[in-house]
Amino acid sequence: MADNQDKLSPKDQKMLEDLEKQLSKTASVSQSTASTKKPTGMGDQAPPKQPTMNTPKTESQPVAAKAKTGFLWFFTLLNLLLLTGVIVAAYWGWLQWQNQTEAQQQFVALQESSLAKQQAEIQKSIAANQLVQSDWQQQSQAEQERLNVMASAIEQNSQQAASTLNKVNEIAGRRPADWLLAEANYLLNMAGRKLWLEHDVATSLLMLQAADGRLQDMNDTSLLMVREKLAADMHTLQQLNPLSTTNLALEISGLSKQVASLPLTFFQKPEDLEASSDIVTDDNDWYTNLVNSISQVLKGFFSVKKITTEVKPFMSEQQQWLVKEQLKFTLVSAQTALLQQQSVVFEDQLNNALRLVNEHFDTTQSNVMQFTESLQRLRSSEVEQTYPQQFTASNALQDIINDRLGNRFTNGNN
């Protein structure tokens, strides 16, 4: 009880002490009542004591004591149950706290391991960055050295350019725009190459216009004669035949693709004519009656036997293929002559193509007729171009360049 009381709460302990006091009082009262009873003999009879209303009965006191004792035991048992529950709850809480502590320790250990790994990776990355930084520093140093070398070279070049510019200015004298003459001469030469080598009239004309623009920018009256000759050269190019050989070549290519679909001409069996009547009629047509009479007489002297055999084609498949391939080859030859501007060869090849179409293809079909018309139109096209042998402005411009720049460079070299 002492151990249990030590573990009880202060309130329960106080209630327990009050119950013990009440029990002690009850026990002292019962002892005092037992001592007041005296033993009586047979002779000595005590006078009966009259019951009064104020004196309590002695039998009710043990009952009250038993009730208090039962209540005390009930209260004690309740305290024991409460204490047991508190102990169980404390033990369960201690177990939960211990499990939570272990989980926290495991979590902390995992965090520490992950932090250690991260630190190792960070250290590796730092080491790699340091290596990259060292390489970059070395490269930057090398680039800086190269830049320094280039800067020194640029400075030398700028000094040489400045000196060269000073010499050019000294040579140029009062005509600083004479370099436009060299540019106009270059454009004039390029226009000649485009015209005579590539037969590109449009580009050549544009280059002549550009050269005239350079001379116009100089605003020099001494160049009016050169510009006049340039205008004459441009007018000559504008009068050339504007027919595009590329379009004609593409048209011939389209005709070559149509050859496979053109129908060839074959032997056609004549339709069976209705047998004419050999009976002599009463009409006045004496000639018809005479012919019928003669035919009846001749039937007795001649006999005609009909034999039916397989009808063979006029041309074999190999011959058909050869005719179409020959027509294609003729068109390709005409296209090549067109691109090379060989008008005679171009016309001969087109004539050969027309001959092949008329001999081996069915000219009554619409597609063959259109094909023939296209060939005739191409044959009548003028494909030969007559180019000028030389630009009239070329010699005049070259003479001016030699007079203005050639002597000055010669004097500068001397």
Side-chain angles (χ1 to χ4, degrees):
M1 292 295 292
D3 296 334
N4 293 332
Q5 289 177 0
D6 294 337
K7 294 181 181 180
L8 292 175
S9 62
K11 185 177 180 180
D12 295 337
Q13 188 175 1
K14 185 176 181 181
M15 291 176 64
L16 184 60
E17 289 177 357
D18 292 339
L19 290 175
E20 288 179 354
K21 288 179 180 180
Q22 290 179 1
L23 289 175
S24 63
K25 288 181 180 180
T26 304
S28 61
V29 170
S30 62
Q31 289 178 4
S32 61
T33 53
S35 61
T36 52
K37 290 182 180 181
K38 293 181 180 180
T40 56
M42 296 297 293
D44 297 331
Q45 294 180 354
K49 193 174 182 179
Q50 295 295 330
T52 61
M53 295 298 295
N54 296 326
T55 58
K57 294 182 180 181
T58 58
E59 293 179 359
S60 60
Q61 292 178 356
V63 174
K66 290 180 179 180
K68 291 180 180 180
T69 305
F71 179 76
L72 181 62
W73 281 106
F74 173 75
F75 187 76
T76 304
L77 183 60
L78 180 63
N79 290 332
L80 288 174
L81 292 174
L82 292 173
L83 182 61
T84 303
V86 170
I87 292 171
V88 171
Y91 182 72
W92 181 80
W94 179 77
L95 288 177
Q96 294 295 325
W97 176 78
Q98 189 174 7
N99 292 331
Q100 186 176 3
T101 303
E102 291 178 356
Q104 290 180 354
Q105 290 177 356
Q106 293 178 358
F107 179 75
V108 170
L110 290 175
Q111 292 291 333
E112 288 178 353
S113 63
S114 63
L115 288 174
K117 291 180 180 179
Q118 291 179 359
Q119 288 178 357
E121 292 177 356
I122 290 170
Q123 290 178 356
K124 290 181 181 179
S125 62
I126 290 172
N129 291 330
Q130 289 178 354
L131 292 175
V132 172
Q133 186 177 4
S134 62
D135 294 338
W136 180 78
Q137 288 178 355
Q138 293 177 359
Q139 293 178 0
S140 62
Q141 291 177 357
E143 291 295 332
Q144 187 65 32
E145 292 177 356
R146 292 177 184 175
L147 289 174
N148 294 331
V149 173
M150 291 176 65
S152 61
I154 290 171
E155 186 176 359
Q156 292 178 0
N157 291 331
S158 62
Q159 292 177 358
Q160 292 178 359
S163 62
T164 305
L165 182 61
N166 292 329
K167 291 180 180 179
V168 169
N169 292 330
E170 291 176 358
I171 293 171
R174 297 181 180 180
R175 297 174 186 248
D178 283 346
W179 61 273
L180 291 173
L181 289 173
E183 187 175 357
N185 187 27
Y186 172 77
L187 291 172
L188 189 61
N189 293 332
M190 290 300 297
R193 293 179 183 177
K194 283 289 182 180
L195 181 63
W196 296 308
L197 296 180
E198 301 179 11
H199 304 294
D200 191 353
V201 179
T203 306
S204 179
L205 183 60
L206 291 175
M207 287 185 174
L208 290 180
Q209 292 175 356
D212 184 67
R214 299 297 187 275
L215 297 178
Q216 186 179 2
D217 292 338
M218 294 181 66
N219 195 14
D220 192 350
T221 57
S222 61
L223 300 175
L224 291 177
M225 183 183 65
V226 179
R227 292 189 60 192
E228 183 179 358
K229 291 184 178 181
L230 273 176
D233 293 333
M234 288 187 286
H235 183 67
T236 302
L237 293 181
Q238 290 173 356
Q239 289 180 346
L240 292 176
N241 185 11
L243 183 64
S244 177
T245 57
T246 304
N247 295 334
L248 294 178
L250 292 175
E251 187 175 356
I252 294 174
S253 179
L255 291 176
S256 178
K257 293 180 181 178
Q258 294 179 6
V259 172
S261 61
L262 295 178
L264 294 169
T265 181
F266 296 101
F267 172 76
Q268 295 182 356
K269 183 180 179 181
E271 297 180 358
D272 294 335
L273 299 176
E274 295 182 357
S276 61
S277 178
D278 295 337
I279 300 174
V280 178
T281 62
D282 295 335
D283 297 336
N284 293 326
D285 190 1
W286 62 270
Y287 181 76
T288 304
N289 293 329
L290 178 61
V291 171
N292 292 334
S293 300
I294 293 172
S295 64
Q296 289 178 1
V297 173
L298 291 177
K299 283 182 179 179
F301 295 99
F302 298 100
S303 62
V304 178
K305 185 184 291 184
K306 294 183 179 180
I307 299 174
T308 304
T309 59
E310 183 182 358
V311 178
K312 296 182 180 180
F314 182 69
M315 299 175 63
S316 64
E317 293 183 357
Q318 185 177 5
Q319 290 176 346
Q320 295 176 19
W321 181 81
L322 286 175
V323 167
K324 291 185 177 181
E325 290 299 322
Q326 186 178 2
L327 180 57
K328 289 181 181 179
F329 177 75
T330 305
L331 292 175
V332 171
S333 300
Q335 186 179 19
T336 304
L338 173 65
L339 294 175
Q340 295 178 357
Q341 294 187 359
Q342 298 176 358
S343 60
V344 177
V345 179
F346 175 72
E347 187 175 357
D348 291 339
Q349 294 298 329
L350 290 181
N351 289 329
N352 292 332
L354 286 171
R355 180 180 55 80
L356 290 173
V357 171
N358 292 326
E359 290 179 357
H360 300 287
F361 291 88
D362 190 0
T363 56
T364 60
Q365 300 294 329
S366 60
N367 53 354
V368 178
M369 294 173 64
Q370 293 177 0
F371 190 85
T372 305
E373 291 177 358
S374 299
L375 289 178
Q376 292 175 355
R377 187 179 66 255
L378 288 172
R379 186 180 61 178
S380 62
S381 300
E382 183 66 30
V383 297
E384 187 176 1
Q385 300 283 359
T386 303
Y387 301 115
Q389 296 296 325
Q390 188 180 6
F391 292 129
T392 58
S394 179
N395 293 330
L397 183 60
Q398 189 65 41
D399 292 338
I400 292 175
I401 291 174
N402 292 331
D403 292 339
R404 292 190 180 184
L405 300 180
N407 294 330
R408 291 177 185 174
F409 280 109
T410 302
N411 296 329
N413 292 329
N414 292 331

